[in-house]
């Protein structure tokens, strides 16, 4: 299957509900957003996860040195 | 109704007794109430990101509410901004979008025309740009943001800083396929540019002509935030290299000695004080030395120059030195900003935004007369339309700068002399003061419009 067909299939599955906005968001823009949002959203998750781990480790180290 | 506000049915702008009001449609009432009650309005106003307003007693019975926003003293357009102005406006839009998401709302449009420069900072002027955010909903204004902000910024950076003028031609934003075809390969190879411009334009072309079927919303909130942060990172990293333009070293290269320059500053300062302007337009402002001087005696100064790098330098200077009453714009006086858009009424021409109390036209007239063959009569006739007072410098033909303009062409400017200059301007202006700049072949006049 050509990559563009995969993209098309993905788009048919995920295309969002009609919005009542006055601006035409553009179908292509919607699909692209969903694709990059999927990737970047993952990165945001990883970033959040790392921040939590860092805070956790910092807490442990601070407690350790206090003792 | 003001023509520029016809697109969004959430409300309309109208003018009453010279003041600007915004009526809010009944169909926007839910979003407006949520916008106020959620605290988003308060937060954005506190951070200086949104224009504040007062709800006023109903003057429009058809409307849900009528608000009176703070009056913006001078409206400018994105095709008049330099690179850093457009960049700051873009980052402001993204910042607002991020805050809005925190409050359960999002920007339903991201037009560069919704941003104005007020007190030295970019500010959103469209109070009705927000709607309730539904989890899963993609950003409806993503394409508009790319066309209004990202596209011109990339073209200015990678091709030519003058290309913001394309927004004048494409009032709805520069088409992505056009940007994609103009950007060099090295720009498109950056992952974020590749995605937001190249891939975006391809997706637009491919899916634009195909029938779509709605199913469900799927862009997670974290994905939306990731998208905004990605755009933010890309735009923050765009930096115009230090380029030297024709005008950026003008003050070092011209024939003013230190003393002559001092004298010129003193003369202009005294004349500005005498004119007591509230608003000043500095035409051919270059990097803005005289605009900065005028900003001490004038509530608002609009510096205009056709060189985007000179305007860039002026804007950065004003930011650094907190000259919040100075707006620098890219305007070519020989072809001033026209009125454009639907019925030629959506965006105002430069002249429509006047008149101003004072015009500074220093070291300008020889360029108009000799480089552009505009007669002294025509210059006087135009200037009388835009100002009450005029401080204008006449540079005689034997000045080295004028000689430079004439070096490769035949001197056909038989009427270009001080006597004709004075008689042309005397038709419309009263000459109140005339001062020779000692040590140069230049003379400065303070004139008052007769009409």
């Amino acid at each position: 299957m050509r990559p563009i067909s995969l993209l098309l299939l993905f788009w048919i599955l995920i295309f969002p509900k009609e919005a009542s906005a006055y601006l035409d968001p553009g179908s292509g823009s919607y699909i692209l957003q969903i694709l990059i949002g999927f990737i970047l959203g993952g990165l945001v998750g990883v970033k959040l996860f790392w921040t939590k781990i860092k805070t956790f480790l910092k807490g442990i180290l601070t407690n350790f040195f206090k003792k | 109704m003001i023509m520029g506000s016809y697109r969004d049915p959430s409300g309309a702008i109208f003018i009453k007794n010279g003041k600007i009001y915004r009526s809010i449609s009944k169909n926007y009432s839910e979003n407006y109430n949520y916008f106020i009650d959620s605290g988003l309005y308060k937060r954005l106003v506190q951070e200086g990101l949104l224009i504040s307003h007062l709800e006023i007693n109903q003057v429009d019975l058809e409307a849900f509410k009528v608000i009176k926003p703070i009056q913006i003293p001078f409206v400018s357009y994105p095709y008049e901004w330099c690179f850093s102005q457009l960049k700051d406006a873009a980052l402001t839009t993204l910042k607002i979008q991020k805050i809005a998401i925190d409050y359960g709302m999002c920007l339903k449009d991201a037009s560069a025309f919704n941003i104005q420069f007020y007190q030295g900072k970019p500010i959103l002027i469209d109070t009705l740009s927000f709607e309730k955010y539904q989890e899963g909903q993609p950003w409806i204004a993503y394409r508009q943001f790319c066309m209004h902000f990202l596209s011109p910024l990339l073209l200015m950076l990678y091709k030519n800083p003058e290309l913001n003028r394309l927004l004048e031609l494409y009032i709805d934003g520069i088409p992505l396929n056009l940007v994609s075809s103009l950007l060099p390969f090295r720009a498109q190879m950056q992952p974020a540019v590749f995605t937001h411009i190249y891939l975006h334009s391809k997706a637009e072309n491919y899916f634009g002509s195909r029938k779509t079927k709605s199913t469900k919303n799927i862009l997670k909130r974290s994905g939306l935030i990731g998208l905004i942060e990605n755009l933010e990172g890309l735009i923050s990293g765009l930096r115009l290299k230090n380029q030297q333009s024709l005008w950026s070293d003008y003050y070092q290269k011209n024939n003013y000695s230190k003393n002559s320059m001092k004298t010129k500053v003193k003369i202009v300062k005294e004349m500005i004080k005498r004119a007591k302007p509230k608003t000043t337009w500095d035409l051919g402002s270059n990097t803005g030395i005289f605009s900065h001087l005028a900003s001490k005696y004038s509530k608002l100064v609009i510096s205009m120059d056709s060189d985007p790098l000179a305007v860039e330098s002026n804007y950065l200077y004003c930011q650094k030195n907190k000259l919040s009453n100075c707006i620098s714009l890219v305007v070519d006086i020989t072809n001033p900003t026209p009125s454009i858009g639907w019925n030629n009424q959506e965006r105002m021409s430069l002249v429509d935004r006047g008149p101003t109390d004072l015009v500074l036209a220093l070291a300008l007239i020889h360029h108009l007369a000799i480089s552009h063959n505009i007669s002294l009569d025509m210059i006087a006739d135009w200037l009388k339309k835009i100002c009450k007072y005029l401080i204008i410098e006449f540079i005689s033909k034997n000045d080295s700068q004028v000689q430079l303009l004439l070096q490769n062409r035949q001197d056909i400017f038989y009427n270009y002399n001080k006597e004709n200059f004075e008689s042309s301007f005397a038709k419309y202006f009263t000459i109140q003061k005339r001062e020779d700049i000692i040590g140069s072949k230049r003379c400065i006049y303070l004139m008052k419009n007769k009409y």
Side-chain angles (χ1 to χ4, degrees):
Chain A
M1 194 184 256
R2 288 169 60 202
I4 202 80
S5 319
L6 270 173
L7 199 66
L8 185 66
L9 184 71
F10 182 63
W11 156 70
I12 289 168
L13 291 172
I14 49 98
F15 198 78
K17 278 178 194 163
E18 272 174 40
S20 58
Y22 76 99
L23 208 65
D24 174 13
S27 336
S29 300
Y30 255 31
I31 293 148
L32 185 74
Q33 271 189 77
I34 292 159
L35 279 173
I36 50 182
F38 183 72
I39 300 161
L40 295 171
L43 290 177
V44 170
V46 170
K47 217 168 99 182
L48 270 174
F49 179 69
W50 271 114
T51 318
K52 277 182 186 166
I53 289 193
K54 267 200 284 189
T55 322
F56 171 71
L57 287 176
K58 252 188 194 171
I60 289 181
L61 287 174
T62 320
N63 282 338
F64 178 78
F65 285 115
K66 265 185 187 171
K67 281 175 188 173
Chain B
M1 183 173 91
I2 284 184
M3 281 306 287
S5 68
Y6 77 90
R7 288 161 193 257
D8 185 0
S10 305
I13 298 173
F14 63 93
I15 299 177
K16 199 179 173 194
N17 301 329
K19 299 284 178 200
I20 289 181
Y21 295 86
R22 193 183 280 274
S23 65
I24 303 172
S25 310
K26 284 172 183 151
N27 65 18
Y28 189 73
S29 59
E30 197 187 327
N31 278 313
Y32 179 78
N33 286 336
Y34 189 83
F35 177 57
I36 302 293
D37 298 341
S38 64
L40 176 58
Y41 166 76
K42 198 177 167 195
R43 164 94 186 266
L44 292 175
V45 168
Q46 269 172 356
E47 291 204 20
L49 296 166
L50 175 74
I51 194 161
S52 65
H53 68 254
L54 288 172
E55 287 181 11
I56 62 151
N57 288 335
Q58 207 83 336
V59 286
D60 178 0
L61 295 174
E62 293 287 303
F64 163 64
K65 267 182 182 161
V66 173
I67 57 173
K68 185 183 176 192
I70 280 186
Q71 308 288 297
I72 297 283
F74 187 88
V75 170
S76 63
Y77 299 122
Y79 40 81
E80 297 171 327
W81 299 342
C82 64
F83 178 83
S84 292
Q85 282 170 308
L86 191 61
K87 178 178 165 179
D88 288 349
L91 291 173
T92 300
T93 306
L94 292 174
K95 194 174 176 187
I96 292 170
Q97 167 72 338
K98 267 172 86 178
I99 295 174
I101 295 170
D102 279 347
Y103 283 78
M105 296 201 92
C106 73
L107 278 176
K108 67 181 161 92
D109 49 28
S111 163
F113 293 98
N114 282 349
I115 301 285
Q116 285 300 321
F117 283 85
Y118 178 62
Q119 295 181 340
K121 281 175 67 187
I123 189 168
L124 179 70
I125 56 159
D126 187 1
T127 315
L128 313 186
S129 274
F130 301 87
E131 66 180 4
K132 278 189 190 172
Y133 169 65
Q134 292 168 326
E135 179 80 33
Q137 177 196 322
W139 187 20
I140 211 154
Y142 168 60
R143 182 170 69 149
Q144 192 181 37
F145 181 86
C146 291
M147 290 168 76
H148 276 234
F149 291 106
L150 188 56
S151 299
L153 280 171
L154 291 170
L155 288 175
M156 286 163 94
L157 182 70
Y158 287 103
K159 295 301 278 186
N160 193 304
E162 304 208 12
L163 285 176
N164 67 329
R165 288 294 292 267
L166 274 180
L167 280 170
E168 192 179 306
L169 192 61
Y170 297 102
I171 197 170
D172 287 331
I174 308 173
L176 296 173
N177 55 0
L178 176 65
V179 186
S180 185
S181 68
L182 290 174
L183 282 178
F185 183 71
R186 68 189 166 96
Q188 311 233 28
M189 278 305 97
Q190 288 183 54
V193 178
F194 177 81
T195 313
H196 298 299
I197 299 292
Y198 179 78
L199 214 56
H200 199 166
S201 78
K202 292 289 168 204
E204 206 179 20
N205 288 348
Y206 186 83
F207 295 111
S209 55
R210 285 167 171 81
K211 212 176 165 205
T212 59
K213 190 185 162 201
S214 302
T215 51
K216 55 181 181 178
N217 290 336
I218 197 147
L219 182 65
K220 279 186 177 174
R221 190 188 158 99
S222 58
L224 179 62
I225 292 170
L227 178 84
I228 308 298
E229 286 185 348
N230 187 261
L231 285 166
E232 217 172 23
L234 168 64
I235 291 171
S236 305
L238 301 178
R239 282 191 182 86
L240 208 57
K241 281 182 204 147
N242 278 335
Q243 293 180 49
Q244 211 169 46
S245 69
L246 183 62
W247 304 106
S248 55
D249 59 351
Y250 176 80
Y251 292 114
Q252 280 77 49
K253 273 190 181 168
N254 73 14
N255 61 356
Y256 274 113
S257 65
K258 247 187 181 174
N259 275 342
S260 301
M261 193 60 182
K262 255 189 183 172
T263 316
K264 183 175 174 179
V265 168
K266 201 178 156 207
I267 293 169
V268 174
K269 189 167 128 182
E270 289 310 313
M271 288 179 172
I272 296 173
K273 278 166 127 178
R274 195 165 150 182
K276 293 190 187 105
K278 275 187 188 158
T279 55
T280 301
W281 290 7
D282 183 4
L283 309 183
S285 58
N286 202 314
T287 52
I289 289 182
F290 289 95
S291 300
H292 308 155
L293 174 71
S295 72
K296 290 179 191 159
Y297 308 99
S298 191
K299 267 191 174 171
L300 183 70
V301 178
I302 313 295
S303 315
M304 302 177 205
D305 202 281
S306 60
D307 179 355
L309 294 179
V311 175
E312 175 82 14
S313 155
N314 190 3
Y315 174 69
L316 296 177
Y317 179 91
C318 292
Q319 291 289 302
K320 195 177 161 195
N321 295 284
K322 299 196 166 37
L323 294 182
S324 58
N325 61 339
C326 205
I327 302 176
S328 48
L329 299 176
V330 182
V331 174
D332 179 358
I333 299 304
T334 62
N335 179 20
T337 315
S339 53
I340 59 165
W342 180 250
N343 202 15
N344 283 106
Q345 286 181 359
E346 257 188 273
R347 313 289 170 214
M348 289 182 282
S349 73
L350 177 71
V351 177
D352 288 341
R353 285 171 278 168
T356 179
D357 294 333
L358 171 68
V359 157
L360 296 181
L362 304 168
L364 175 75
I365 200 155
H366 59 303
H367 291 292
L368 302 181
I370 292 173
S371 305
H372 296 276
N373 295 30
I374 304 169
S375 72
L376 294 169
D377 275 341
M378 285 163 73
I379 299 169
D381 182 46
W382 185 69
L383 287 171
K384 73 141 195 301
K385 290 178 195 163
I386 60 166
C387 67
K388 206 155 94 184
Y389 281 94
L390 172 65
I391 296 175
I392 187 163
E393 182 176 16
F394 182 76
I395 302 177
S396 60
K397 233 184 222 177
N398 50 359
D399 181 282
S400 63
Q401 292 293 312
V402 180
Q403 285 302 312
L404 203 65
L405 297 177
L406 285 168
Q407 66 180 347
N408 292 322
R409 62 180 300 182
Q410 196 190 340
D411 182 1
I412 51 161
F413 307 99
Y414 313 112
N415 296 326
Y416 186 85
N417 58 48
K418 210 170 174 177
E419 290 69 42
N420 283 332
F421 166 78
E422 288 186 8
S423 67
S424 292
F425 277 78
K427 285 180 201 162
Y428 312 110
F429 292 91
T430 312
I431 297 174
Q432 294 200 326
K433 209 167 182 193
R434 180 189 293 110
E435 293 254 20
D436 285 317
I437 304 172
I438 299 153
S440 78
K441 296 173 177 65
R442 302 176 171 210
C443 183
I444 298 182
Y445 296 79
L446 171 67
M447 303 185 185
K448 191 180 178 191
N449 200 327
K450 286 180 180 172
Y451 301 96

